[in-house]
Amino acid sequence: MFFRLLFHQRTRAGYNTMNALEVIEIAQELRISLRADGEYIYYRPVEAALPEFVEALRYHKAETMALLLACVEVLERINATGSARAESAT
């Protein structure tokens, strides 16, 4: 994972060769949780975030935020559907 960050950083294209999904995968590998709120992406624990990760996250902020918000929307729909099914089963 760290090598993946270094590879992307040192290539001529920089973080252009990376995408938001890879940023999220690296966050998982670093055991960092991401949360989109308004125009910000929060990550915890801050101490676990390598400078290269923070730079990649900033570079891909818009598409990472869109992906995080889409995931939240899907999970909310799943939870709402699961609640409706549970209530109708009783």
Side-chain angles (χ1 to χ4, degrees), residues 5 8 19 26 34 36 39 42 55 57 70-71 82 87:
L5 283 169
H8 287 294
N19 62 40
I26 291 169
L34 300 174
E39 61 186 69
Y42 296 96
E55 188 177 339
L57 183 59
C71 289
E87 290 173 5

Side-chain angles (χ1 to χ4, degrees), residues 4 22 53 65 68 73 83:
R4 198 167 19 155
E22 286 181 290
F53 169 76
M65 182 169 290
L68 290 171
E73 185 178 321
S83 296

Side-chain angles (χ1 to χ4, degrees), residues 6-79:
L6 287 179
F7 169 77
H8 287 294
Q9 183 182 25
R10 294 180 194 223
T11 60
R12 183 178 262 189
Y15 294 116
N16 279 337
T17 60
M18 186 180 272
N19 62 40
L21 186 55
E22 286 181 290
V23 172
I24 292 171
E25 288 173 349
I26 291 169
Q28 288 178 323
E29 291 172 10
L30 293 171
R31 296 188 175 166
I32 294 173
S33 64
L34 300 174
R35 180 174 58 91
D37 186 14
E39 61 186 69
Y40 299 101
I41 297 177
Y42 296 96
Y43 55 92
R44 286 211 165 95
V46 174
E47 309 81 44
L50 301 170
E52 295 85 0
F53 169 76
V54 175
E55 188 177 339
L57 183 59
R58 284 185 182 135
Y59 187 87
H60 293 286
K61 178 183 174 185
E63 77 178 288
T64 303
M65 182 169 290
L67 190 54
L68 290 171
L69 292 172
C71 289
V72 167
E73 185 178 321
V74 168
L75 290 172
E76 287 174 349
R77 287 182 185 175
I78 290 170
N79 287 337

